[in-house]
Amino acid sequence: MRLIAPGATPPAEVNKYLLPHEQQVITVRRHPAVLIGPISITLAGLIVAAILSDTLLRHQSTAMALVWIIWGFLFVRLLWKAATWAVDYFVVTSQRMILTSGLLTRKVAMMPLVKVTDMSFRRSLLGRLQGYGEFVLESAGQDQALRTVEFIPYPEQLYLEVCALIFPGKDTGGD
């Protein structure tokens, strides 16, 4: 998690989507658990390719080459997913929530804080074990660009931080 200190410079991928009068409050990447699926598939593919190469395809060079080319595609897919994860951010400013995603085709979804009527988070068993959750945002409008944010790290802490921005407490007078 990255809570932004006053005067700190946000990542360039995020800074270009901020309005001049907005103050960035929270910036986080999605939890690295988003990469578990691609890593698992790539490792399973590696094991299968190694077994096939060592036992069944030892003397069939064309078939062996095909198996390793397929595994190469799995590996490139993993690299792509990791690069995409590295540039995806969930940002909460003083006025909006923004989710940026995509490596080549950039997608920016946002919801003004004043439009949020309800916010909750969900945590699966795997999410509780690994430390991530999913935010579910609701507003009075039907069509929402930002409805769910998956793989949020530190969901309880972020939930409280965001709720404090959406539903600010009354000032007690500060004596």
Side-chain angles (χ1 to χ4, degrees):
M1 182 174 63
R2 178 175 179 211
L3 296 174
I4 300 298
T9 306
E13 293 90 3
V14 172
N15 194 29
K16 59 185 160 186
Y17 302 114
L18 299 181
L19 300 172
H21 60 278
E22 281 184 302
Q23 293 177 352
Q24 190 175 4
V25 179
I26 300 168
T27 298
V28 294
R29 281 195 175 103
R30 291 184 173 181
H31 194 279
V34 74
L35 299 172
I36 288 175
I39 289 170
S40 299
I41 290 171
T42 304
L43 284 176
L46 178 62
I47 292 167
V48 168
I51 290 170
L52 288 175
S53 294
D54 190 44
T55 58
L56 301 175
L57 304 175
R58 185 175 289 170
H59 302 294
Q60 299 175 11
S61 60
T62 304
M64 188 184 308
L66 182 62
V67 165
W68 285 105
I69 288 171
I70 292 170
W71 181 80
F73 282 120
L74 290 176
F75 185 69
V76 169
R77 178 180 171 267
L78 171 62
L79 293 177
W80 182 263
K81 296 282 187 179
T84 301
W85 169 81
V87 297
D88 289 356
Y89 287 96
F90 176 62
V91 181
V92 181
T93 71
S94 55
Q95 297 181 354
R96 312 182 280 166
M97 283 188 253
I98 305 168
L99 179 64
T100 64
S101 59
L103 195 57
L104 293 180
T105 303
R106 201 73 171 138
K107 180 182 174 187
V108 180
M110 80 83 187
M111 182 180 290
L113 291 177
V114 295
K115 297 287 184 181
V116 177
T117 58
D118 190 28
M119 181 177 148
S120 62
F121 74 91
R122 300 180 193 145
R123 291 188 85 180
S124 64
L125 177 61
L126 190 58
R128 287 190 303 200
L129 292 173
Q130 295 188 348
Y132 67 86
E134 172 186 25
F135 281 2
V136 180
L137 308 169
E138 294 184 22
S139 73
Q142 293 293 329
D143 292 330
Q144 303 170 22
L146 183 60
R147 180 170 169 76
T148 60
V149 184
E150 299 173 330
F151 293 99
I152 292 294
Y154 318 107
E156 287 95 355
Q157 182 180 354
L158 286 179
Y159 176 78
L160 292 173
E161 295 277 341
V162 173
C163 283
L165 289 169
I166 295 172
F167 310 109
K170 294 185 180 177
D171 230 359
T172 59
D175 284 334

